[in-house]
Amino acid sequence: MTNGFSDQFLLEAERHSVWGAAQLEALMEFLPEAPWSADLPTCSYQQGEVQLRVGVLGTYDMEGGSWLWGWANPGLGGSEVVALSAAVARYGQAHGIPEFTTEELDLSGFDDPRRAAEMLAFAGMGVANTPGYIGQPAGPGTQVYFLPDDPKVPSAELDPVALPRVLMAGVSLIGRSPRQAVTGYFEHHGVPQRVEGDRLIADLPTGNAAAVSFDRMGRIGNIRLTVSG
């Protein structure tokens, strides 16, 4: 689903798609299936026995189909709990991404407004470089999205064995630019990379190399790994 979002936003979201998908999986495995509560003045979030420091990224009004950024919330604006959300707005201003700088976004025209809200949360997580996002119901027809800001959350590390699966799963999320998605994944993990013809070569920290080739349509053709003995 891409209708309604700007190219600038889609390319930014794509840049975080692979590592973000893997990180969300790690966060979901970390959090227990349990009731939650939050104390916004102290930036505290509790789910079961897990307590985290969080920020409020935004809220989604399911009835109206609108998204409100945390930094634009009149009850929260300027407070510590929306500091990460405000950082997303500053990034949007610096890089010309209107979705990050518009206080309230009307998503009602999307084929799937709820998924559009999830994409905003996903992209915001990527720009803020946080270890995932947490969406929870906050009253009738309202969903609130938190960004964890706590070292207790485990990071999804780069695993050469799982790399082909991780890359293919991540690039399928948006599909705007698989090359952008792959490049963003290696950038996030600080992996040196170079372009050789239609291939992107990444020198993995294990001493191995990953070669990702792209076809004429910009899609991933194949992924080849050299494994050291």
Side-chain angles (χ1 to χ4, degrees):
M1 179 213 61
T2 58
N3 53 316
F5 284 132
S6 67
D7 283 343
Q8 300 97 307
F9 173 82
L10 290 172
L11 286 172
E12 182 63 36
E14 192 84 85
R15 191 165 69 88
H16 307 291
S17 61
V18 177
W19 77 261
Q23 184 55 47
L24 280 175
E25 186 176 324
L27 175 61
M28 292 303 102
E29 291 178 357
F30 172 70
L31 288 174
E33 292 186 13
W36 70 279
S37 63
D39 184 70
L40 300 187
T42 62
C43 303
S44 179
Y45 176 89
Q46 184 92 24
Q47 186 164 330
E49 307 225 343
V50 174
Q51 185 173 21
L52 299 173
R53 177 180 173 82
V54 299
V56 172
L57 178 64
T59 52
Y60 173 58
D61 180 346
M62 290 181 271
E63 293 182 4
S66 62
W67 169 276
L68 179 68
W69 289 105
W71 56 266
N73 189 311
L76 301 175
S79 65
E80 187 177 3
V81 78
V82 294
L84 289 171
S85 179
V88 173
R90 290 193 297 273
Y91 184 93
Q93 187 172 20
H95 293 84
I97 304 174
E99 286 82 356
F100 293 149
T101 59
T102 303
E103 294 185 0
E104 187 170 7
L105 296 162
D106 181 5
L107 307 179
S108 61
F110 284 78
D111 295 338
D112 188 343
R114 175 64 179 271
R115 191 179 174 203
E118 294 287 332
M119 190 181 289
L120 287 166
F122 184 88
M125 167 201 83
V127 168
N129 195 28
T130 61
Y133 70 84
I134 304 167
Q136 295 286 14
T142 302
Q143 187 89 350
V144 60
Y145 289 88
F146 299 100
L147 293 180
D149 184 23
D150 198 303
K152 289 196 292 288
V153 179
S155 297
E157 303 298 337
L158 192 158
D159 178 2
V161 175
L163 184 61
R165 175 187 64 81
V166 170
L167 290 180
M168 295 305 294
V171 300
S172 69
L173 289 180
I174 300 173
R176 176 69 169 74
S177 173
R179 186 183 289 270
Q180 178 89 335
V182 173
T183 299
Y185 179 74
F186 291 129
E187 284 179 348
H188 176 78
H189 288 288
V191 174
Q193 51 188 305
R194 61 190 183 278
V195 175
E196 294 182 359
D198 65 349
R199 299 187 306 163
L200 188 150
I201 312 295
D203 298 316
L204 306 182
T206 55
N208 307 330
V212 184
S213 66
F214 299 88
D215 63 20
R216 293 182 179 180
M217 301 294 291
R219 300 167 300 193
I220 291 180
N222 61 59
I223 303 168
R224 296 177 58 191
L225 299 177
T226 60
V227 183
S228 60

